Amino acid sequence: MTKILYATDYVDKKTTEIKEKIDSLKTVPELAIIRVGEDPGSLAYEKGINSTAKKLGIEVNSFVFDKDSKTEDLVKKIKELNEDKKIGGILVFRPLPENIDEDEIALAIDEDKDIDCMNPINMAKVYNGEVDGFIPLAPKASVELLKFYGYELKGADTVIINHSNVVGKPLAMILLKELATVTICHIGTEDLKKHTQNADIVFTAMGKAEFLDENYFNENSTVIDIGTSKNKEGKYRGDLDEESVNGKIKAFSPVPKGIGSITNLLLLENVIKNKN
Amino acid sequence: MTKILYATDYVDKKTTEIKEKIDSLKTVPELAIIRVGEDPGSLAYEKGINSTAKKLGIEVNSFVFDKDSKTEDLVKKIKELNEDKKIGGILVFRPLPENIDEDEIALAIDEDKDIDCMNPINMAKVYNGEVDGFIPLAPKASVELLKFYGYELKGADTVIINHSNVVGKPLAMILLKELATVTICHIGTEDLKKHTQNADIVFTAMGKAEFLDENYFNENSTVIDIGTSKNKEGKYRGDLDEESVNGKIKAFSPVPKGIGSITNLLLLENVIKNKN
């Protein structure tokens, strides 16, 4: 029997916790979104955030800049939002157009409102092992889901397929903090199967729909699927070939109804983090 | 035949390069050292730096604070040194006494003079994959030595035994940038042998003299030994049991005459980095 690690129960529990916290607040901090242009991915993300925020009772303020905007236009707005006491968190959609200096934007965001962990001060904290502050959302969601299902990470052999700055690297830092052994694989890895077959837990964010079949795993494998991309039929799926592995491995988090359904919630939790 | 990766030839080549660079400079930047107290390890380190600096022709200015100094005393001095045009690099010896706020010290150092990569801005750059700036010295030395000996890191299966902020984590970042597959082991790792036996290159910084014998490796293993600690006879040795592995593995960097003999040189190279 393969256990499917649906996020549903975790999401319900977390939603209740956030609502309770909101009820205890004198004033509810608001979210500020900065979006440049009309990228379809960003629009979909914004829609999802708005929907979750509405359920929680958190106000969202979107500031939309046209594609030809300059770095200083965004920095000016960010500085206003830094000063604005009703704003609890600032989210800048990425990727930004090439004419905008992402490093400068990241530095402009007040580190206490940096809910998406863009500012290098917050990134450095993650890498220094301080994982209780703002940390990238998909890595945090992955580890939270495993803990919700009672997994012990200490001493576990883990493999991460992704070495990006927003997923693979920060996830490695969180797992190291938990004293898991961590292997980071990527496009340069010569024999991916060798690593995944020998791991207790595999985290994948390849963006190759249904790529990983039963041959990559063993009967004790748990897979956390962070990937989302279109399969041949044009449907959004994870990296895992769920049909192939079902019955052959220990457990996996599905796509949809897995990691992706947690991240918006954790983002919005960050808006009210450390507030009273 | 096991090849011993002595650092001697690399050190000679690098020394020549640095001297040539120094000869081309109108004025030679100087090193500023900040030391708090009389820790024997720090004193030995300082002595080594002075000796290497003398050979290269780089002036060293040491500023010694007593143990009861306050964070603001150090910050004041650092800010003076930031402004001082003749200073090319600032090195603060660690560990600092508990009454000093290391985070504040790290932030005070001008990022262009941060030769030991303490400032979180520079740390964040390393984690973002920008490894051409200031990066921690032992990781840099390890990779430089391998490249000197013609090793290809892309696709290599590497294991790092250390997950600290100054060795294991930044080394992982450099190796990922080279597209090596990276496994990070540490005190929580359940079966260290399983990982080291299957790796092409093992980097070790355990600080357990002569701990790793032939049973941890295979005939194609290369070991870069970053550990230094006293063995039973009171002699400083690496983590590798060199006698045991000699003839059984492909190659190793020795202790002494290995990584430890490179780091001071790279530190002093940083003092003149990007100067003209």
Side-chain angles (χ1 to χ4, degrees), chain A residues 107 120-121 124 127-129 155 157 163 165 169 173 176 179-190 194-195 198, chain B residues 107 120-121 124 127-129 155 157 163 165 169 173 176 179-186 188-190 194-195 198:
Chain A
L107 274 168
I121 304 275
Y127 292 113
N128 278 327
D157 274 330
H163 75 308
N165 297 331
K169 290 180 189 173
M173 296 305 131
L176 287 174
L179 285 180
T181 301
V182 180
T183 297
I184 307 166
C185 298
H186 45 66
I187 195 84
T189 297
E190 302 251 319
K194 183 182 99 176
H195 293 288
N198 282 297
Chain B
L107 274 168
I121 304 275
Y127 292 113
N128 278 326
D157 274 331
H163 76 309
N165 297 331
K169 290 180 188 173
M173 296 305 132
L176 287 174
L179 287 179
T181 301
V182 180
T183 297
I184 306 167
C185 297
H186 45 66
T189 297
E190 303 249 319
K194 182 182 98 176
H195 293 287
N198 283 296

Side-chain angles (χ1 to χ4, degrees), chain B residues 95-139:
Chain B
L96 288 161
E98 273 187 17
N99 49 310
I100 306 244
D101 183 341
E102 189 174 311
D103 288 348
E104 224 178 293
I105 301 297
L107 274 168
I109 302 172
D110 185 304
E111 50 183 287
D112 293 324
K113 297 189 178 186
D114 180 29
I115 53 172
D116 199 26
C117 199
M118 275 186 83
N119 189 314
I121 304 275
N122 285 323
M123 283 294 282
K125 283 183 184 168
V126 175
Y127 292 113
N128 278 326
E130 298 170 41
V131 295
D132 295 328
F134 295 134
I135 63 177
L137 299 164

Side-chain angles (χ1 to χ4, degrees), chain B residues 50-121:
Chain B
N50 274 309
S51 157
T52 310
K54 202 170 177 183
K55 277 178 214 156
L56 295 171
I58 293 176
E59 202 73 38
V60 180
N61 307 271
S62 287
F63 301 94
V64 182
F65 290 78
D66 70 53
K67 269 188 176 176
D68 302 324
S69 301
K70 294 194 178 109
T71 305
E72 54 256 44
D73 302 329
L74 271 73
V75 168
K76 191 176 164 228
K77 173 53 75 183
I78 290 168
K79 287 193 171 162
E80 277 172 37
L81 295 167
N82 285 344
E83 296 301 319
D84 188 341
K85 281 187 181 143
K86 76 174 201 294
I87 299 297
I90 302 167
L91 173 67
V92 180
F93 282 134
R94 288 177 279 183
L96 288 161
E98 273 187 17
N99 49 310
I100 306 244
D101 183 341
E102 189 174 311
D103 288 348
E104 224 178 293
I105 301 297
L107 274 168
I109 302 172
D110 185 304
E111 50 183 287
D112 293 324
K113 297 189 178 186
D114 180 29
I115 53 172
D116 199 26
C117 199
M118 275 186 83
N119 189 314
I121 304 275

